[in-house]
Amino acid sequence: MPDYLCSGISQAIGIALAGKLDFKKYRVYCMTSDGEHEEGNTWEALMFAGKNKLSNLTVIIDRNNIQIDGYTENIMPLEPLRDKYEAFNWHVIEIDGHNIEHIADAVAEAKAIYEKPTAIIAHTIPGKGVSFMENDYLWHSKPFGDGEAQQ
């Protein structure tokens, strides 16, 4: 994956830092994928955010365990993902990413954390509820064929 597609966390951290330096009260939210965590610039950014205690930052990770060419744990293992974030001074919340109440509660909890950034690891199942797609990485970049959309 080209680096320019994997710099969302770095950009969000820059915006959060600018807010802190300017004494602004806004919060920054960054949606990211677990596949993006296989890029070195992601980890450099996460270390920077933890060091600088960017408590106005919340990163939400779609932890679906797949990427375009396979399962993340086969390509480049990410586990223990929670422990890695905590080692970089992040507050971590793990949720069922399919449950809107869990998402809302986690965002509210993140707002109450004042000494460090927050990572919400949203565990999801790709293609959930669609029998021929569920948890199959081959659907990560594949369009529907004839009749599949109706199924």
Side-chain angles (χ1 to χ4, degrees), residues 48-119:
F48 180 89
K51 175 197 175 288
N52 289 285
K53 301 178 180 177
L54 298 180
S55 59
N56 60 338
L57 174 66
T58 300
V59 170
I60 303 170
I61 304 134
D62 178 15
R63 185 65 172 119
N64 62 19
N65 299 292
I66 67 165
Q67 60 186 63
I68 205 162
D69 51 353
Y71 297 99
T72 56
E73 297 310 291
N74 293 336
I75 307 287
M76 182 60 68
L78 296 174
E79 292 303 330
L81 188 58
R82 178 189 191 108
D83 294 346
K84 290 173 183 175
Y85 267 88
E86 289 175 340
F88 294 148
N89 195 38
W90 284 67
H91 176 72
V92 180
I93 306 164
E94 293 193 63
I95 62 168
D96 172 357
H98 298 288
N99 185 317
I100 195 69
E101 289 177 11
H102 290 186
I103 295 167
D105 290 346
V107 168
E109 181 179 331
K111 289 179 182 178
I113 304 300
Y114 294 103
E115 67 279 357
K116 56 180 71 175
T118 297

Side-chain angles (χ1 to χ4, degrees), residues 1-10 33 35-37 39 41-42:
M1 189 177 296
D3 283 342
Y4 65 85
L5 295 176
C6 297
S7 60
I9 292 175
S10 297
S33 69
E36 186 173 341
H37 283 71
E39 295 287 335
N41 64 356
T42 295

Side-chain angles (χ1 to χ4, degrees), residues 16-18 70 134:
L17 178 63
E134 193 168 296

Side-chain angles (χ1 to χ4, degrees), residues 14-29:
I15 295 166
L17 178 63
K20 285 279 193 186
L21 294 174
D22 290 341
F23 303 100
K24 302 291 184 183
K25 298 293 182 191
Y26 63 77
R27 297 193 59 80
V28 178
Y29 296 89

